[in-house]
Amino acid sequence: MNNIKKTIYMLRNLILGLSLISIVACAAKPRVDLEQEGLQLKPTTQHGVIVKEVANLLENFSYKRVSMNDSISNIIFNNIVEGLDQGRNYLLQSDIDDFQQFKNTFGQDFKEGDLSSAFYMFNKYSDRYLQCLNYALEQVDAHHDFSKDENYNSFREKLPWFKSDAELKDQWRKRVKYDLLNLKLTAGDSVKLDLAKNKETLRNRYKNLISQASKANANDAFQIIMTAFTAAVDPHTNYYNPSFAQAFNESMSNTLEGIGAQLQMENEMVTIKMIIAGGPAFKDKTLQINDRIVAVAQGDGEFEDIIGWRLDAAVAKIKGKKGTVVRLKVLPAGAELSTAPKIVRLTREKIVLEEESAKREIKTIKGEDGKNYRVGIINLPKFYIDFDAVRRGDQNYKSTTRDVRLLLDSLKQDGVDAVLMDLRNNGGGSLQEAIELTGLFIDKGPVVQVRDTRNRVQVDSDQESGVSWDGPFGVIINRFSASASEIFAGAIQDYGRGIILGSTSYGKGTVQNAVDMSRFISATNKLLIKASGEKDADTPNGAPEFGQINITMGKFYRVTGSSTQHKGVEPDVTFPTQYSAEKFGESSEPSALPWDQIKPSTFSKISDLTSINAQLNQIHTKRMQKSPAYTFLLEDIAEFNKVDAMPSVSLNESKLKAERETNRLKNRDRINKQLAFLGLPLWKEGQPQPKFDYDFVLEESANVLIDYIRLNKK
């Protein structure tokens, strides 16, 4: 009997082995023979299996259900090129011409698990990148004439690709010249202007960049390729390799130690994309969205240049243990490269994001009738809920709605005349919390509709009777208010329950599900991956073995039937903003789903505010014409938009120095005008730049609510 079992076991293994051999033998021949091309980085068997399964998911199960055809291939191609060299500083036109052979094949290749052409492009780019850096290293010791009139463009996105190697080298000669000049002009008074020291600093910078680039691996290439792939479908569908998946899930666990900012690499600079409420950067108020961090120092140590670093390496320098100090050299958002960076000193903290709670304050505002009004302000940075506590059956779980209900009760006890909900920069969160929070201001009724991949529409309603606040109410939104924020603001507007103020919201009207890719990898493919013998040394312990996909599975609609997608929520009383729809928000994403409509829900409006909103806008406009603070806002917007997408910097030392001095004096004058308006001491030469906390949009929104109260009384 034992012999029979052994024989069966041997036969089963033999059949399995033959099956695997058959699978390998039947696999399509890769489009590019990477071995023959002598290229360093190659996709693993696991990469091929994953891209094939992702293609299947996107084609058959995502909300958009995109066919893997020529059209999607073209978009993937453009995304890969942009992902590799958005600023057009490394590749030649001849490289782009070479890549054109793959432009119409990516969709079908990925469907078959073939990543060879994408890896070919990545390898060619990597070679060019290292060639440029090595040439730059040579140029550090070359002679540079700083009295010569010439300019340097760091970001060439709208310029043609380099036609020759000579053009490319000239760009990098100018890059080195600018870097040396910048080091000289930005050195502090206590630092001796030593050319030899500046050359050594720059030499170390380029050596570090070369070292970082040399560490690129197949997972780096795979992540860039998969990001280009999923972004071709829609901007919120993302694949994360095991390392990225773990990082993403850790960020969702709501705890981190650092400065409290979400960072992203843009044009070789670490760029601030979000400031986390409650963190050091949020409390300090110096850093802003789209500021660029160019150097980092630990405590009072020397600054380390991080331009061009890998993002994970840069983040490792910026993050750190609670209580330690980090100093940052920062180029403000929209500032030219010639601008002297500001230095920001922050003490790192442990940021517990589940405690990123709603907070309240009361402002006393004098109305145009001469009376004092008390306006309760509730600042809500996100829509949160402690899901683990809910699953454990904890009756005291923490949530947005519970916290806001308590704040409203306390504001009523303090006798406020109106409540203003501040949702600026609130990127969303829990859908259920958006629904329940709306229920604090309306008495039962539908809040949002969700349509799934089968076109089934579910109406989600507030089921609880009664309201927590029935007085004058306003909601402030801006371009970075998204998703759940738009559901809440849209419902308040549709019911006529309050005044929406600010600027048009982001326009994200889609819902994603986060799915572990292991659910889609068959047992046969798992054996195939195991049989390949390839080890992924970069996969951290506890990370999803095959990565994770966040895939769009539904779309939100307001109770009126109008989608929040693309258009966002338009305020009743509008404030100007520097964040245009063409550059920021869902409408700036080429692959974003379109706006559309479905049938409206059955709901009863609380009031029609059309007439009173028109009156509020008239009063608001007249007040703005007389407001110095409004003039400051318009000046800030003009300054932000003045910088073109292709900033050109003078490489003439005297001109650049004069330009920086002009900008410094202009900035001081600008700040002193604001200080004078607020009745604060002026900023004198030699003193550190003063900080002042004045939120014009919040102040004016409170004024509009007071106008609303007065008009209602009439």
Side-chain angles (χ1 to χ4, degrees):
M1 187 68 176
N2 286 337
N3 288 335
I4 294 173
K5 286 183 178 179
K6 286 180 181 178
T7 302
I8 292 172
Y9 179 77
M10 290 173 63
L11 285 170
R12 186 177 66 185
N13 284 350
L14 177 61
I15 292 168
L16 181 58
L18 289 172
S19 298
L20 289 175
I21 292 169
S22 176
I23 291 169
V24 174
C26 292
K29 182 181 178 181
R31 187 169 298 278
V32 180
D33 188 337
L34 298 174
E35 290 281 357
Q36 185 176 333
E37 293 284 345
L39 299 176
Q40 181 184 357
L41 299 180
K42 304 171 187 66
T44 65
T45 303
Q46 178 165 314
H47 292 154
V49 168
I50 290 170
V51 73
K52 185 175 182 178
E53 293 303 331
V54 168
N56 179 56
L57 284 170
L58 298 178
E59 196 167 43
N60 297 297
F61 300 102
S62 71
Y63 189 85
K64 218 171 179 180
R65 298 194 183 188
V66 176
S67 297
M68 298 295 116
N69 53 24
D70 289 2
S71 178
I72 195 74
S73 296
N74 270 267
I75 300 171
I76 296 168
F77 173 83
N78 291 330
N79 286 351
I80 292 176
V81 171
E82 184 175 328
L84 294 175
D85 191 9
Q86 185 180 6
R88 300 194 175 191
N89 284 310
Y90 303 96
L91 294 171
L92 301 176
Q93 181 63 56
S94 58
D95 297 321
I96 303 301
D97 293 341
D98 179 30
F99 297 160
Q100 292 289 332
Q101 61 183 304
F102 311 125
K103 192 165 187 176
N104 298 321
T105 62
F106 282 113
Q108 191 59 39
D109 286 352
F110 289 177
K111 197 172 178 180
E112 295 173 358
D114 181 6
L115 287 154
S116 62
S117 56
F119 266 75
Y120 175 86
M121 292 173 66
F122 184 89
N123 275 283
K124 291 292 186 181
Y125 161 77
S126 296
D127 289 345
R128 288 289 185 200
Y129 183 84
L130 285 169
Q131 288 170 17
C132 291
L133 291 178
N134 280 305
Y135 179 75
L137 194 58
E138 294 173 8
Q139 287 295 301
V140 171
D141 291 316
H143 172 71
H144 298 283
D145 182 0
F146 295 113
S147 64
K148 183 179 178 181
D149 280 333
E150 59 180 348
N151 294 319
Y152 167 62
N153 271 340
S154 66
F155 195 63
R156 306 178 61 263
E157 183 180 17
K158 294 182 180 179
L159 294 176
W161 295 98
F162 297 113
K163 292 184 174 63
S164 66
D165 190 58
E167 278 190 19
L168 178 61
K169 285 182 175 179
D170 191 57
Q171 169 75 357
W172 279 87
R173 176 190 65 79
K174 290 179 178 179
R175 161 75 178 264
V176 174
K177 183 177 179 180
Y178 167 73
D179 285 343
L180 284 170
L181 183 56
N182 192 49
L183 285 170
K184 181 178 181 180
L185 295 182
T186 58
D189 294 335
S190 61
V191 179
K192 185 179 179 181
L193 302 181
D194 188 341
L195 180 59
K197 183 175 181 180
N198 289 341
K199 284 186 174 183
E200 183 61 25
T201 298
L202 194 55
R203 198 177 291 114
N204 289 335
R205 177 193 297 182
Y206 291 139
K207 284 180 180 178
N208 181 66
L209 292 174
I210 292 169
S211 174
Q212 295 289 333
S214 300
K215 294 174 184 175
N217 58 36
N219 277 338
D220 295 325
F222 184 59
Q223 183 61 58
I224 287 173
I225 293 162
M226 292 301 289
T227 298
F229 181 23
T230 55
V233 177
D234 81 78
H236 305 292
T237 290
N238 296 288
Y239 169 80
Y240 298 120
N241 68 27
S243 296
F244 277 50
Q246 186 183 61
F248 174 83
N249 293 331
E250 284 175 350
S251 72
M252 295 300 288
S253 69
N254 287 343
T255 59
L256 58 90
E257 288 187 345
I259 66 170
Q262 186 183 85
L263 308 174
Q264 182 176 310
M265 190 65 72
E266 288 187 354
N267 195 30
E268 298 189 354
M269 290 191 183
V270 176
T271 305
I272 295 170
K273 303 310 292 183
M274 184 177 77
I275 294 173
I276 299 168
F282 180 85
K283 294 174 183 175
D284 185 78
K285 298 186 184 299
T286 305
L287 297 176
Q288 302 295 328
I289 290 172
N290 288 326
D291 281 359
R292 294 153 290 171
I293 301 172
V294 297
V296 182
Q298 308 304 320
D300 293 320
E302 289 192 10
F303 276 100
E304 196 168 2
D305 191 292
I306 61 168
I307 293 175
W309 278 29
R310 288 176 59 123
L311 180 62
D312 54 356
V315 168
K317 293 287 183 183
I318 297 167
K319 289 177 67 176
K321 289 190 176 182
K322 174 184 176 182
T324 59
V325 172
V326 63
R327 289 184 299 133
L328 310 172
K329 278 188 179 179
V330 179
L331 283 178
E336 296 183 8
L337 289 176
S338 59
T339 305
K342 60 185 177 183
I343 295 177
V344 179
R345 183 185 181 95
L346 298 170
T347 300
R348 299 177 178 108
E349 296 178 10
K350 183 172 183 178
I351 303 147
V352 184
L353 299 181
E354 58 258 34
E355 294 178 1
E356 191 181 288
S357 305
K359 294 177 177 60
R360 52 149 275 182
E361 64 173 308
I362 296 176
K363 284 189 174 293
T364 301
I365 307 285
K366 180 173 284 189
E368 294 190 2
D369 56 3
K371 296 180 181 178
N372 285 332
Y373 294 84
R374 289 163 60 79
V375 179
I377 315 290
I378 296 178
N379 182 272
L380 185 62
K382 63 189 284 189
F383 286 80
Y384 54 86
I385 183 171
D386 189 342
F387 285 112
D388 287 335
V390 173
R391 282 191 287 268
R392 292 194 307 267
D394 185 347
Q395 297 300 310
N396 296 313
Y397 67 88
K398 188 174 182 63
S399 77
T400 301
T401 306
R402 287 180 167 216
D403 288 350
V404 172
R405 181 184 281 115
L406 291 173
L407 295 179
L408 288 171
D409 287 344
S410 69
L411 289 172
K412 284 190 287 187
Q413 290 173 9
D414 288 334
V416 298
D417 299 292
V419 170
L420 192 57
M421 183 80 72
D422 191 350
L423 296 183
R424 287 175 295 173
N425 301 325
N426 183 321
S430 168
L431 167 63
Q432 188 58 36
E433 285 304 305
I435 296 165
E436 292 186 8
L437 185 67
T438 306
L440 299 184
F441 302 93
I442 67 168
D443 185 14
K444 285 190 174 183
V447 175
V448 65
Q449 304 181 82
V450 181
R451 183 167 67 181
D452 65 16
T453 56
R454 298 182 182 179
N455 283 325
R456 296 175 301 189
V457 176
Q458 175 179 314
V459 180
D460 293 322
S461 302
D462 164 49
Q463 304 288 349
E464 190 173 334
S465 298
V467 297
S468 293
W469 176 257
D470 60 2
F473 183 52
V475 180
I476 314 178
I477 58 175
N478 67 3
R479 196 62 181 163
F480 302 106
S481 304
S483 198
S485 293
E486 296 173 291
I487 291 168
F488 176 79
I492 295 299
Q493 188 177 58
D494 292 338
Y495 273 89
R497 175 60 191 89
I499 310 297
I500 310 301
L501 310 108
S503 52
T504 303
S505 62
Y506 192 89
K508 181 186 179 295
T510 57
V511 58
Q512 287 73 41
N513 291 352
V515 185
D516 190 325
M517 281 300 299
S518 64
R519 291 178 51 184
F520 305 103
I521 309 298
S522 68
T524 302
N525 276 330
K526 287 178 182 177
L527 286 169
L528 183 63
I529 292 167
K530 188 175 181 181
S532 72
E534 298 158 340
K535 297 288 184 182
D536 186 356
D538 292 334
T539 302
N541 292 328
E545 184 181 1
F546 303 101
Q548 172 178 305
I549 187 167
N550 291 5
I551 186 168
T552 299
M553 299 295 288
K555 201 170 180 182
F556 295 125
Y557 295 84
R558 294 164 65 159
V559 292
T560 59
S562 175
S563 172
T564 60
Q565 175 66 12
H566 217 286
K567 287 189 175 182
V569 176
E570 295 182 5
D572 301 311
V573 176
T574 303
F575 288 77
T577 177
Q578 64 267 48
Y579 301 112
S580 66
E582 291 76 23
K583 294 182 180 179
F584 302 93
E586 192 81 0
S587 57
S588 68
E589 299 285 353
S591 61
L593 275 70
W595 175 88
D596 63 348
Q597 268 183 308
I598 59 173
K599 287 178 59 178
S601 301
T602 302
F603 72 102
S604 300
K605 287 178 73 76
I606 294 169
S607 59
D608 185 348
L609 299 178
T610 305
S611 176
I612 202 167
N613 282 337
Q615 296 176 69
L616 291 174
N617 272 295
Q618 288 178 358
I619 299 169
H620 164 69
T621 300
K622 287 180 181 178
R623 186 161 49 236
M624 292 307 90
Q625 290 171 351
K626 303 174 184 177
S627 169
Y630 183 67
T631 302
F632 294 148
L633 175 63
L634 294 179
E635 288 174 355
D636 285 343
I637 293 171
E639 190 68 25
F640 183 89
N641 291 323
K642 187 177 70 174
V643 181
D644 191 71
M646 298 184 296
S648 180
V649 180
S650 174
L651 296 180
N652 179 291
E653 182 176 354
S654 59
K655 285 186 177 180
L656 185 58
K657 190 174 182 178
E659 180 184 328
R660 288 190 173 181
E661 179 63 13
T662 299
N663 289 336
R664 187 185 71 83
L665 294 175
K666 181 180 177 182
N667 181 55
R668 180 181 297 278
D669 181 61
R670 173 81 170 77
I671 289 173
N672 277 333
K673 285 180 180 178
Q674 291 178 302
L675 291 170
F677 168 70
L678 297 172
L680 298 173
L682 299 185
W683 179 18
K684 296 180 180 178
E685 191 73 40
Q687 294 179 340
Q689 182 172 329
K691 295 179 181 178
F692 50 91
D693 186 12
Y694 180 74
D695 189 336
F696 166 70
V697 174
L698 183 63
E699 294 282 342
E700 175 57 19
S701 294
N703 277 320
V704 173
L705 265 191
I706 293 167
D707 296 335
Y708 174 72
I709 294 171
R710 292 190 300 103
L711 291 173
N712 263 339
K713 285 181 179 178
K714 290 181 181 179

